[in-house]
Each structure stands twice: as C-alpha cells, then as structure tokens.
Amino acid sequence: MNVKKRVTCALAVSALFCSSAILFNSNHVSAKSYSKAVTKIAGNGNYAIYHRVSKNGPSGKFTSTKYFKHGQIQSKKYISTKKGNFWEIIVDGRNVGWVSQNFFARNQISVAKEVSLVKNSDYSFPTRDAINYVTDSQGTAVNPDKVNVSQSGVSTKSATVNYSYGKAKASVDITVHDGDDADADKTPQKGFKTVSTWKGSSKGSSRNWNRAHGYRSETRGNVFKSNGLTLRTRLFQPRFVSLGYGQAADRMGQVGVIPEGITVNNGIFTTSMFTSSSDNHGHLVSYNLNAIKSKTAAQNLTTMSWNTFKSYAQNIKVSPYIKLGHGQSLGSSSSYIYVMANDNKYNNGPKSEEIFQIRKSDMKINKIWTFRIASNRYIHNATFVGDGTMYALFHNGGNNYYEYWKLTLDGDNWDAEEVGATNGNFVSNSPVQGFAYGNGRFFIGFNDNIFQVSENGKAQKHYHFNARREIEGLSATGSKLYVQFAQRAELTQGNI
C-alpha cells in the first residue's frame, strides 16, 4: 500500500475544518481519512448501508439509513469507487458502516420557513439565527458564519434575506409588525421564607459520574423525596450523543455534555445540550420514552447490542446545531418543540427575545418570532403549554418579587398579560434553574429547591432535596412533574 500524507485543508470536507488527511492508493481505490470527524447532514432518501467498500463499489449490505437519519451523523473517512463516493458513518457516537454520498443533503442551506419580528429599534434580529444547516458538495456541514448573507440583521423594516454558500442558496421573508408594551398590575402575593443553598455548579454527582468511578454508566435509579413529592429516575442519558471530547473537527459535531432545559409531552422527552456553558448554540436531543423503557440502557449506545442500538437510534432524534440561547426555556406540543432563546448574560432592558418553533418530525426550525413584554421586562425563564401559549417568569430583584406572565399567540404577535406575582426572592444565592406550568400551578426550580405557587402567585409548597446536583430544567404535564439533574444528566418524574 502506498501511503502519502497530506497536511492540507481538504476542500472535499470544507476548508473550514483544516485537518490532516491521508490518501490511500491500493488497486486504484482512493480513500481519504481525517484525524477528526466532520458532521454530515442526512438527506430525505433512504439508502443501503454496507460492511465493505472496494474499487468496484460497496458490498455486504446489512441495514438502511432509515433507522439513522435523525441521529447525529459524523465521519472520518470516505472512499471513491466506480459507483461514487462512500462514507463510513458514525451515528450517535457509534461506528455503523458505509453509505453512498448521495444519502447526504448536498449543496443545501436549510432555513426557517417564516420569521416574524416585533418592531424594536433596540434589537436587531441576527439573520443567521434562521439557519438550520449549510452543506457543501459532499454533504458536510459548514460553519454558518461562512455563509454569505444579504443582510446581517433586521430591526424595524421587513426584508427578504438571501443566503448563499458555493452552489447552495436559500432565502427567507422576514416580516416586522408593531407591538404594544404590556403593564404589570398585579399585587404580589405573600411568598416563602427565603432560604440559601450551595453556590455555583453541582457539588455532587450520580454514583458513577466522577473520576473515581471513571464516569461509567449508572446501573440503578434514584429516589428523591421532599414534602410529599417523590421523584424517581426515568432516564439516565448518554454522556455524548456523538463522538466525545476533541473528536469533532467542527463546532457542529459534539452533542453534549452540558444539559440546560427539558420538556416532556406525550412521552417525547427533549433536552437542550451544549458543549460549553458560555455557548448560545447547541443541539436538542429527543427521546421517545414510549419506546425507551429502560432507565439505564441509553447511556450505552456504543456498547449495546447492534439490534438494540438500531432500535434506540430510531427513537432518539438530534437537531442540527442551532440557536438555543441559554437553552433553559423549552416547551412542546404534539408536533412542535418551542425554545425561548434568551441571552442569560443580559440583565434587563428593551431588547427583544426570540421564540423558535422546531418540528418534532425532523428537528429543524419551522418558524421564528420575536417578542417583548415591555422595555423593562427582559425574560430569562419561560415554558410553553401546547401551541400558542407561553408562560414567562420575571424576577424584579430590586423590588423583591417574581411576576408571572401569560403570552398568547394572536396572528404573529405574542400578546402578554400579567397573571400573578409573589413577594420574596425564594433563594438568596442561586439563579432560577427551571420553570414549568401545569394544572394552574407554577413550579420554580433552584439548586436543590423547587417552589410551587398558584397561577396568581400564592405560595403553596416548598420542596427541598439534598442531591447537591444542579437542577437542569423542569416540565409539567398532566399529573406529572419532570425534573432533570446534572452530572450525569438524569430525568426524574413524580406525581403532583
């Protein structure tokens, strides 16, 4: 075998991800291998997956891409044959097999179908936020920052924005409409006695999520009890739903390891995942709990049996690398996932905030809105109740109370109405870590603490746990409250 090293940027996998490539020549078989994996984007068709590839083409067909098209797809290698290029794909961090390059979405820019903004001279919508993904001629994901955009921001005037990269083109009509500021007029209800908790990130972990135990998988669930609420483990999640630390050649590739928010609806559990706590782009990962019955098996995607993995891959969906903001404010309906993508470093002021509607079917952005309650009401926590209803939490620390707002979609405008308020800061030394609404009650989560209040803000219950792990999102649906803990990401559920 003649092996020739080339330390160069291979245009075939985008000049963005310059990495060492090795060219192999054996019996006229041309293969290219890369030290780090690029991200591949699945197209709409179904293609065979093979065990082997030679100069004449693939052989050993054993499965189909239909089981894996909604997973996180990566690759470190492709081979040029008489029947075209074939890539060795890695799905959700596991080596799968060889597939035709025709499987991938090539020379494409996927954008939201609609963008509707409330007019606001204090905020310019970044038009790249509307991008789901961009691909080159081989179906490799391209950094959206490299896309040519006809207008970088939209603020007060409607516009048609054009996107291009190589042969790929797309456009989106962005409409701007007038909006009215809402008034806060509710008298705060009596609150809770202020408590304190530990500061900063988690002080504890699940049994095996530590260096001493090698961060290995958990083998049994947990039970957390407080004040009549019992939370039991429903799902321990994989550390990564991709290759792990330092193995991706692009920022779109790694899925994990930091969870921020959750939503559960009709058995579909969705969580936001980031590679860094400072990033405002990440992935949504959805698990079909109706099919994934085990509490622990999903941690072991790379080692479980092939048939089990194929089943799990069909029931785990990963979004493209998209704008999520802090990623803590999620909700869902039967067809869509909603994200309020706020800037958690922006304290308060007149900026607008973005709402993303994401299709559950393919995990891509369908529509984007911006909203503003008032020039002095910037929202950091929100949740969605079906389509067209959002509840938002505003904390006025200076005046020592929380406000609860209901926003209802009317045409393209989210109309806001204050529904309640509660005196006090609840916890003196922890930010809000989760916010949910269910059956006329709000649930507000902090480190080791959850507070339940009525819709008008009346204090009802205080639940205190001693997990010493950050709460990373709450979701309420029917009679169940879902709570996610960090390190390792663990979804729990209890009856309320």
Side-chain angles (χ1 to χ4, degrees):
M1 178 180 289
N2 178 28
V3 180
K4 181 180 180 182
K5 253 191 179 179
R6 294 181 175 178
V7 182
T8 181
C9 280
L11 292 177
V13 292
S14 173
L16 302 172
F17 315 125
C18 183
S19 61
S20 297
I22 302 176
L23 179 66
F24 299 93
N25 289 304
S26 177
N27 297 322
H28 307 292
V29 175
S30 178
K32 287 192 176 181
S33 178
Y34 301 91
S35 59
K36 292 186 177 182
V38 295
T39 302
K40 309 295 288 185
I41 303 297
N44 294 324
N46 293 321
Y47 288 81
I49 298 177
Y50 301 89
H51 284 302
R52 298 171 295 278
V53 175
S54 71
K55 65 179 181 180
N56 294 318
S59 61
K61 174 184 173 180
F62 70 101
T63 191
S64 166
T65 58
K66 69 181 181 180
Y67 302 108
F68 309 107
K69 60 171 54 180
H70 295 303
Q72 179 68 352
I73 304 173
Q74 298 170 281
S75 183
K76 292 184 178 182
K77 186 187 302 183
Y78 76 89
I79 291 178
S80 297
T81 78
K82 292 180 179 179
K83 295 184 178 180
N85 291 344
F86 285 78
W87 290 76
E88 187 177 42
I89 58 172
I90 302 159
V91 180
D92 298 342
R94 179 168 178 150
N95 289 327
V96 171
W98 295 87
V99 66
S100 169
Q101 184 171 281
N102 294 331
F103 166 57
F104 305 120
R106 292 163 292 147
N107 291 318
Q108 290 189 19
I109 300 176
S110 171
V111 294
K113 289 184 177 180
E114 298 179 65
V115 178
S116 179
L117 312 180
V118 63
K119 184 182 292 185
N120 186 355
S121 59
D122 294 304
Y123 181 77
S124 180
F125 171 76
T127 54
R128 283 188 173 84
D129 287 0
I131 295 175
N132 281 301
Y133 61 77
V134 183
T135 61
D136 64 12
S137 61
Q138 293 186 319
T140 298
V142 173
N143 189 328
D145 291 344
K146 301 300 181 181
V147 176
N148 297 311
V149 183
S150 61
Q151 189 171 330
S152 62
V154 175
S155 179
T156 59
K157 294 182 179 180
S158 299
T160 297
V161 178
N162 299 309
Y163 304 81
S164 64
Y165 179 86
K167 295 181 179 179
K169 291 180 173 56
S171 64
V172 62
D173 292 328
I174 300 179
T175 60
V176 178
H177 59 87
D178 292 328
D180 297 319
D181 284 0
D183 294 322
D185 57 5
K186 299 299 181 184
T187 300
Q189 301 280 323
K190 182 180 179 180
F192 299 90
K193 180 181 178 181
T194 301
V195 299
S196 62
T197 185
W198 42 269
K199 296 180 181 180
S201 59
S202 296
K203 303 301 180 184
S205 71
S206 58
R207 295 176 187 86
N208 295 330
W209 183 272
N210 48 64
R211 185 174 296 177
H213 293 89
Y215 300 97
R216 65 176 181 261
S217 298
E218 304 298 336
T219 58
R220 57 192 174 96
N222 289 311
V223 178
F224 304 100
K225 294 183 178 182
S226 175
N227 197 16
L229 175 61
T230 300
L231 299 174
R232 301 179 187 276
T233 304
R234 176 59 188 87
L235 184 72
F236 282 110
Q237 294 140 63
R239 194 177 186 194
F240 299 99
V241 192
S242 67
L243 292 173
Y245 287 125
Q247 298 184 64
D250 57 73
R251 71 179 189 178
M252 291 84 72
Q254 182 178 311
V255 183
V257 65
I258 300 172
E260 284 292 351
I262 66 169
T263 177
V264 183
N265 183 280
N266 291 330
I268 305 300
F269 158 54
T270 303
T271 184
S272 55
M273 297 294 291
F274 297 83
T275 61
S276 166
S277 59
S278 62
D279 202 351
N280 64 7
H281 282 67
H283 299 85
L284 295 174
V285 184
S286 282
Y287 299 85
N288 182 357
L289 299 180
N290 300 309
I292 299 174
K293 303 294 186 180
S294 171
K295 300 174 184 177
T296 59
Q299 302 168 94
N300 307 310
L301 294 177
T302 61
T303 58
M304 62 177 47
S305 73
W306 169 253
N307 286 335
T308 303
F309 173 72
K310 189 166 71 170
S311 173
Y312 269 61
Q314 293 180 80
N315 290 290
I316 299 174
K317 292 183 178 181
V318 182
S319 78
Y321 183 79
I322 56 176
K323 173 75 170 287
L324 297 175
H326 187 44
Q328 198 176 81
S329 298
L330 305 184
S332 53
S333 67
S334 59
S335 299
Y336 297 104
I337 301 159
Y338 292 87
V339 180
M340 189 199 73
N342 70 298
D343 179 359
N344 69 319
K345 296 180 181 178
Y346 183 69
N347 289 328
N348 195 20
K351 286 186 177 181
S352 297
E353 292 146 287
E354 299 172 33
I355 295 173
F356 289 77
Q357 182 191 65
I358 294 150
R359 297 184 295 269
K360 283 185 173 180
S361 59
D362 60 8
M363 302 295 284
K364 296 179 179 63
I365 303 166
N366 187 61
K367 188 168 183 176
I368 301 173
W369 300 268
T370 64
F371 77 96
R372 188 178 79 166
I373 290 177
S375 61
N376 60 349
R377 290 292 189 280
Y378 190 83
I379 300 300
H380 285 268
N381 300 93
T383 188
F384 296 81
V385 182
D387 297 302
T389 302
M390 179 177 82
Y391 286 96
L393 177 69
F394 177 75
H395 183 210
N396 191 326
N399 291 328
N400 193 41
Y401 61 83
Y402 284 88
E403 297 171 356
Y404 313 98
W405 292 82
K406 182 179 182 180
L407 290 90
T408 305
L409 185 61
D410 181 12
D412 281 330
N413 194 60
W414 289 85
D415 295 330
E417 173 193 9
E418 188 185 15
V419 294
T422 309
N423 270 320
N425 290 317
F426 294 16
V427 177
S428 63
N429 59 344
S430 168
V432 174
Q433 298 285 76
F435 178 62
Y437 175 87
N439 292 337
R441 294 166 288 178
F442 294 109
F443 300 87
I444 307 165
F446 302 80
N447 291 339
D448 268 350
N449 293 270
I450 298 174
F451 296 86
Q452 176 184 310
V453 302
S454 65
E455 189 165 326
N456 69 357
K458 183 179 179 180
Q460 293 181 328
K461 283 191 175 184
H462 173 208
Y463 308 100
H464 176 257
F465 303 95
N466 193 33
R468 296 185 65 80
R469 295 158 62 190
E470 286 184 82
I471 289 177
E472 297 291 7
L474 306 177
S475 181
T477 178
S479 62
K480 295 189 182 301
L481 178 68
Y482 294 88
V483 182
Q484 175 152 270
F485 293 95
Q487 297 186 181
R488 146 185 321 256
E490 177 184 0
L491 179 70
T492 65
Q493 71 179 42
N495 292 321
I496 50 175

